[in-house]
Amino acid sequence: MSALSFTVQRRQDPASDERRAEILANPGFGVHFTDHMVTATWTKDGGWADGRVSAYGPIQLMPSAAVLHYAQEIFEGMKAYRHADGSVWTFRPEANAARMQRSARRLALPELGEEDFVASLKALVEVDQAWVPEADGSEASLYLRPFMYASEAFLGVRPANVVTYSVIASPAGPYFSGGLKPVTLWISQHYARAGVGGTGSAKCGGNYASSLAGQLEGIENGCDQAVFLDSASQEYIEELGGMNLFFVTKDGQLVTPELTGSILEGITRSSILELAKDEGLEPVERRIPIQEWKDGVASGDILEIFACGTAAVVTPVGELRWEGGTAPAVGGAEGGEVTRSIRSRLLDIQYGRAEDSRGWLTRLA
Ligand code: PLP
Ligand code: COI
């Protein structure tokens, strides 16, 4: 049952058609935002209320707002895709709603019901649908960013009694500007993003803050992204700062690190595990020693490696580097055959070019 309704106050000064067209012609990632945003407020006594769609703009927050001090914040990431008939769809929103509820429980934030979550996306996309890029095969989409934070003005350390939920939207081209060029990864040995009993499996801002030093170290060493290991033994592969990892093996397996509590359960990851069977591959979730990567690319046991997530879709992974060593890229200059095939399979479903036999799509507008 939906508890929230969203009133709409359209802004009087939306972007002109020309300005919007200019942005949509070259959206980048996360730099431009649509005309409106969603907000709703939760109070301990009253629950969720005051759902609205209003002008995108600065938010009023007291300097003492708990989120600014104790990082009680969670978010989601998903996309709206325009199909050839002009309709607008999103991918497995119920999975994002459920993950946001799990994140909320871990960060002691209130849960938002699945119906309210989906209704909030519909409310925003309905008003800002002109911002969803055309279905021209270019893989452009409208990135949707639901988030929730402790907005109560209080410096005591306890779960906030006032919380704000919001959704903003940003037209998006490819997350990595190099096209399907493989990304080079750096093994982060000094910095972990998450630990046992920590918040690694929640989608909270703090995890991204703690990934930045490792990411920076990677960039200083000529890499695009850092790969994080389990913090206890430093032996097992976990994930990247914003993507899960997959390995295609010589014996027809599609292997990804199992969920240990410190890895984010990506919706792209679980979708690819299902699509593996269509690809004739055996999906495997298990612990993967980082040594297996180094040995596997040398011996030929690992044929392809890719990273996946909503923003990055499926991105080939190239060379692996660490302090004192490198392991060569596999899979070729534009990603291997399986990487490209899984990528197209997923995009074809999302853009309505292939049958949605699993019921993964929800219409937004
Ligand atoms: N891992 C992390 C740390 C992420 O931030 C993301 C992105 O959302 C993913 C994995 C992939 O998750 P999803 O496929 O749900 O976007
Ligand atoms: C996503 O893929 O949606 C993410 O959240 C990754 C990154 C942009 C934080």
Side-chain angles (χ1 to χ4, degrees):
M1 204 189 79
S2 182
L4 265 178
S5 57
F6 296 89
T7 60
V8 177
Q9 292 167 280
R10 279 180 187 267
R11 70 187 300 160
Q12 297 305 305
D13 59 344
S16 65
D17 291 348
E18 294 73 29
R19 177 66 188 137
R20 198 175 57 242
E22 196 185 331
I23 292 170
L24 292 181
N26 189 13
F29 182 87
V31 278
H32 300 288
F33 297 89
T34 63
D35 292 311
H36 297 88
M37 63 197 265
V38 160
T39 49
T41 308
W42 178 90
T43 55
K44 196 174 179 196
D45 296 335
W48 287 109
D50 202 19
R52 62 180 70 200
V53 179
S54 56
Y56 174 88
I59 48 180
Q60 277 212 321
L61 210 53
M62 286 299 182
S64 52
V67 65
L68 300 177
H69 304 270
Y70 310 128
Q72 198 191 1
E73 189 266 356
I74 57 175
F75 68 97
E76 272 304 323
M78 46 214 304
K79 282 174 171 172
Y81 308 91
R82 193 178 296 281
H83 288 190
D85 66 357
S87 58
V88 178
W89 301 73
T90 194
F91 186 70
R92 307 188 73 182
E94 55 291 330
N96 293 89
R99 186 169 66 187
M100 197 169 204
Q101 291 175 344
R102 293 197 298 276
S103 299
R105 288 196 287 276
R106 180 63 184 84
L107 274 287
L109 282 161
E111 289 178 41
L112 183 70
E114 177 187 315
E115 284 197 27
D116 289 337
F117 180 86
V118 176
S120 72
L121 307 175
K122 284 186 177 160
L124 183 59
V125 171
E126 177 97 359
V127 173
D128 278 341
Q129 52 179 293
W131 286 91
V132 183
E134 287 307 318
D136 59 2
S138 72
E139 289 173 29
S141 62
L142 183 65
Y143 184 77
L144 304 173
R145 171 54 65 87
F147 59 110
M148 191 191 289
Y149 56 94
S151 46
E152 182 183 3
F154 179 59
L155 287 187
V157 181
R158 60 143 171 75
N161 290 335
V162 184
V163 168
T164 303
Y165 169 74
S166 187
V167 189
I168 55 175
S170 173
Y175 186 66
F176 294 113
S177 49
L180 270 192
K181 189 170 145 288
V183 292
T184 300
L185 299 190
W186 173 255
I187 305 179
S188 178
Q189 286 170 299
H190 301 294
Y191 305 106
R193 73 177 275 287
V196 178
T199 55
S201 63
K203 202 161 166 60
C204 63
N207 291 344
Y208 299 80
S210 70
S211 76
L212 295 177
Q215 172 74 17
L216 202 58
E217 196 184 71
I219 289 168
E220 283 163 3
N221 283 280
C223 296
D224 301 300
Q225 294 277 312
V227 54
F228 293 94
L229 306 177
D230 78 290
S231 64
S233 73
Q234 291 271 306
E235 268 184 58
Y236 297 98
I237 302 164
E238 297 226 304
E239 60 177 326
L240 312 192
M243 279 165 275
N244 295 117
L245 273 173
F246 274 95
F247 299 82
V248 182
T249 68
K250 186 177 80 192
D251 50 3
Q253 292 189 333
L254 187 61
V255 189
T256 193
E258 70 182 18
L259 302 172
T260 54
S262 48
I263 297 177
L264 191 79
E265 185 172 358
I267 290 150
T268 318
R269 174 189 178 280
S270 47
S271 307
I272 289 173
L273 284 169
E274 288 202 38
L275 293 176
K277 296 159 209 155
D278 303 3
E279 205 64 39
L281 294 169
E282 180 195 352
V284 177
E285 295 174 79
R286 63 169 170 83
R287 301 192 86 184
I288 309 169
I290 189 73
Q291 191 61 40
E292 188 177 326
W293 180 334
K294 299 174 186 174
D295 295 343
V297 291
S299 68
D301 284 346
I302 295 175
L303 301 180
E304 300 178 32
I305 306 169
F306 63 85
C308 69
T310 298
V313 197
V314 169
T315 297
V317 169
E319 194 180 72
L320 180 69
R321 295 186 196 170
W322 61 93
E323 261 173 26
T326 60
V330 287
E334 295 204 322
E337 210 176 306
V338 173
T339 302
R340 281 180 284 123
S341 174
I342 288 182
R343 183 183 158 83
S344 320
R345 230 176 243 283
L346 191 62
L347 287 169
D348 284 350
I349 297 171
Q350 290 169 333
Y351 283 92
R353 299 187 294 249
E355 193 201 343
D356 173 27
S357 59
R358 293 173 175 87
W360 279 345
L361 298 186
T362 291
R363 188 165 179 175
L364 294 179

